[in-house]
Structure formats: C-alpha cells, structure tokens
Amino acid sequence: MTQQADVGKDWKAELGDTLRLFRQPESVAFAVLVSLATWASVLAPRVLGIVMPVAAACAFIGATRFRQRMRMPAMDSEIWWVWAVVVSLVGVSATWSPDYAYGLERSAKIASSFAMGIFLYFLASELFVVHRAQLRRLLLASFIFAVLLIAVYMLSDDVVVRRVMGGSDLDDAAVGANRAAVVLATLLWPTLLAAIEAGHRRVAWALPFVTLAAVSLTYSQTAPVAILAGLIVLVVAHLLPRAALWLVALGGVALVLLMPFFFLNTCPALLQENISWAAAAAAGERIEIWCAVSARVPDDIFFGHGIEAARFVNDWGMEHIYFKPDGILHPHNAALQVWYEFGATGAFIASLIWCGLVWRIAYLGPQARAICLASIAGIVTVACISHGLWQSWWLGTVGIVPALFRMIAGPVWFKAREVLP
C-alpha cells in the first residue's frame, strides 16, 4: 500500500514539474513546442508553419523577461553568416523571378523562418539542466501520443478524430495523414535521443519500428522511406562511424550537384513505354516532373530562374503520361528546386552548407552523432522525393529539429566529443 502511495506521489510530482515548464519564462517556448509539434499535424496538416513562430515569440518574451534589459542568448556568428548568405541569394533571385512581388514575399518568409529556428536553437543551449530533464519526458510523452493518435486516425478511417473536432471540416490535406506522417518521421530522431538521455533505452530503440508501423498505416509513401533511410544510416554510423560520416557527406553533395544531370541522361529511358509506373502512380508523377524540371535547368544554369519560379510555368513540355495537370507548384525535389531557382550558384552554396553541417555533427558524442546523421538522412530523403522546399509547414518542421536536439542535450550528447576525420 505504501509503495502504491509513493508511486502516486512520484507521478503527481512529475506532472507538477512538467506543468511548471509552462509557467517558467525560460522554458515556456519549448514546452509549447514539444507539446504541440508532434501531434497537431494530424488535426491540421499545415500547423507547423504556425507552431515555430509561436514558440519563437514565446522564447523572445521569455528571454527578455528572464534576462532583463533585452539580453539575448550567446550566439555563434558563423551560423548567422550562413543565414545571411542564403537570405541574400534568395532575396536577389526574386528580382529575376517571374513574379517579383511573390518572390519578395517568399524571401521574407524564408528569412524569418530560418531566423526563428536559429534563435530557438541558441536559446535551447542555455536551458537549465532540470528543465532539460522535464522537457525530454514531455517530448517523449507527446511523441507517443502522436503515434497513437495517427494510428487511431487511420484505423478508424478518421471518424473518431472528426467527431472530436465536431464535424467534417478538417483540412482536405489531412487525407491519409500524409503530412502528419512526415512530421513524425522527422521528429522521430530528436525523440529517440531524448529517450536515451532520459534513461529509457528500450523505449528508444523500439521507437523507430513503432513509428514505422504507425506511418505505414497512412497513405504516405515518403515517411516510411525516410525512416528506413535513417535506420540504415544509424546502423552504419554505429558499426562504421568514419565511413558513415563520409557516406553522408559525399552522398549529400552528390545528390545536390548531380541531380539534374542524372535525370537529363536517364529520363528518356525512364519514361519509355516498356517501363510502367502504373502500380506506383505517385512515383510515375514524380519522375515525369523531375524529367521536365531537369530539362529546363540548363536554360539558366548559373543563377537559375528565381525563387518559386516553377509555379509560374504553364507548359513544361510533358507528355502527361502520369502527371496530368499543366503546371506544378514546385519540383518535389529539393536538389532540383535549388538548381532551377538558383542555378549552379545555389547548388554550390547548398553543398558547402551540407558539408559544414556534417562536420559539426562529427564533433558530437558517438550515439548523438549516429542519431543526428540518421536525422539529416531522413530529412534529405523527404526533401528529395516529396514536398516543396519552401512550404511553411516543412520549414517549420525542419526548423525546430536543431532546437529540439539542443534542448534535450545531456551526457550522451556531450560524451567523447572527438572529431572523426
């Protein structure tokens, strides 16, 4: 009886500690972030375009109130220089984009999204140890709830969720919970590290497989592929850490630099009548789009066509074997989108950023390094086979990942910080 009473007290104490996260100015932003980001996309697929700005606003208010006289957290100027280079390229490209006003609007959105993500990352580095421990538990609980919610959503044919929401007015994009599945696949890796840092190793190693089962219930083809890509890199990183670093670094650079030239050389064969993509119509549509975009890259190979230029092209010269509409909103491939919008200049800058990111990951402890490599492998998989690079919900999803990693950082993150050349 006494043991049961002690368990009840411990549970109440933990709940009280977690709720206090929402009242502390230095932790409220991250409490809001982790309690919403994992599952809210099931109900509103584009909501992560809002969650990150809300978290950033809470972080700004908390920082200025907690620190007095508007003192901001310590920041690495190198990252802000990268931000400045990217924003400058995007902004300048708006001048030769087909729609100048739209290009400027997109440039402002990209600049603000990146800035908010960077600010959250640096603020996360100054969280108190006690808050980190509570936020790890909150992230893990929120993620498990998201997995259960997406399973209920799909197994009930979304009837339960619609009844809770009071009707059938959910976003049409919720069909199949595609975006929610991609969000889960992306946030899986910070959550896995949070479970390890919290001492729940069995839960941590079960998470990828439970999440894979949940997203496989959805209509998303991207999310399961992204998780599998991350798992492969995770295993290689544990067995062959140096090889994994080189594999991810060189593989990412090759994807960025060679993507359009690969399709320029293979598309005639890929779209021949003797190859049928009818069993995987989404794959057929993607390949037809990639072939069409690649064919236009050489037209402006050095500086590209400008930010979001693809959405203003009415005739791509397609045969429309699989993809029936005349226009596309984006190339559904991050590497091709960079080439089409910014040309070789953008591809070269993207390659440098990728190499710098992998180099920073090389300084992490062994387990954290493997998980971060798996994370960026999953992100680049999604980016290169599915959603648009500048979609608000995708910017919000990717933008919070570094902050989440830094938020839950503990002994595992910092252990044996040797670089593996």
Side-chain angles (χ1 to χ4, degrees), residues 8-9 85 197 202 232 260 358 392:
K9 288 180 181 178
V85 169
E197 293 278 18
R202 291 183 180 179
I232 291 171
V358 175
S392 297

Side-chain angles (χ1 to χ4, degrees), residues 339-405:
W339 270 99
Y340 188 78
E341 293 178 1
F342 314 118
T345 304
F348 178 70
I349 291 173
S351 298
L352 290 179
I353 293 172
W354 179 261
C355 290
L357 176 60
V358 175
W359 179 251
R360 280 179 171 256
I361 290 173
Y363 279 93
L364 299 176
Q367 283 190 316
R369 183 194 310 127
I371 293 169
C372 285
L373 288 176
S375 178
I376 63 173
I379 288 171
V380 79
T381 299
V382 173
C384 285
I385 65 174
S386 194
H387 304 286
L389 194 57
W390 310 128
Q391 289 180 281
S392 297
W393 74 272
W394 178 239
L395 287 174
T397 303
V398 176
I400 64 174
V401 169
L404 291 179
F405 272 122

Side-chain angles (χ1 to χ4, degrees), residues 240-400:
L240 303 166
R242 285 182 174 82
L245 278 171
W246 284 106
L247 174 67
V248 173
L250 296 179
V253 170
L255 277 176
V256 173
L257 294 182
L258 302 179
M259 187 72 74
F261 307 104
F262 170 80
F263 285 110
L264 282 171
N265 285 280
T266 59
C267 276
L270 287 174
L271 293 176
Q272 284 181 358
E273 293 183 2
N274 61 338
I275 299 179
S276 176
W277 298 99
E285 291 177 358
R286 294 287 190 272
I287 290 173
E288 196 165 14
I289 291 171
W290 297 340
C291 290
V293 173
S294 297
R296 298 290 183 90
V297 166
D299 295 346
D300 291 282
I301 197 165
F302 291 110
F303 297 106
H305 298 75
I307 183 71
E308 293 281 27
R311 66 176 59 237
F312 299 103
V313 177
N314 296 319
D315 184 8
W316 288 94
M318 297 182 191
E319 295 184 22
H320 298 289
I321 303 170
Y322 300 100
F323 187 76
K324 302 305 180 184
D326 293 327
I328 62 174
L329 295 179
H330 49 78
H332 295 273
N333 184 308
L336 288 180
Q337 189 164 355
V338 167
W339 270 99
Y340 188 78
E341 293 178 1
F342 314 118
T345 304
F348 178 70
I349 291 173
S351 298
L352 290 179
I353 293 172
W354 179 261
C355 290
L357 176 60
V358 175
W359 179 251
R360 280 179 171 256
I361 290 173
Y363 279 93
L364 299 176
Q367 283 190 316
R369 183 194 310 127
I371 293 169
C372 285
L373 288 176
S375 178
I376 63 173
I379 288 171
V380 79
T381 299
V382 173
C384 285
I385 65 174
S386 194
H387 304 286
L389 194 57
W390 310 128
Q391 289 180 281
S392 297
W393 74 272
W394 178 239
L395 287 174
T397 303
V398 176
I400 64 174

Side-chain angles (χ1 to χ4, degrees), residues 151-203:
V152 169
Y153 180 92
M154 295 308 300
L155 292 175
S156 67
D157 197 23
D158 78 23
V159 171
V160 173
V161 175
R162 289 185 184 276
R163 284 180 178 174
V164 172
M165 294 295 288
S168 57
D169 297 329
L170 292 180
D171 192 325
D172 290 339
V175 175
N178 286 1
R179 288 186 175 87
V182 169
V183 171
L184 271 185
T186 304
L187 302 186
L188 162 64
W189 305 107
T191 309
L192 189 151
L193 183 60
I196 293 175
E197 293 278 18
H200 304 302
R201 290 184 175 271
R202 291 183 180 179
V203 174

Side-chain angles (χ1 to χ4, degrees), residues 6-36:
D6 291 340
V7 171
K9 288 180 181 178
D10 291 342
W11 182 84
K12 289 180 180 179
E14 287 188 8
L15 180 60
D17 289 340
T18 301
L19 291 176
R20 275 192 287 274
L21 289 171
F22 293 89
R23 299 199 299 270
Q24 301 294 330
E26 61 271 26
S27 63
V28 62
F30 299 97
V32 169
L33 188 63
V34 301
S35 60
L36 290 177

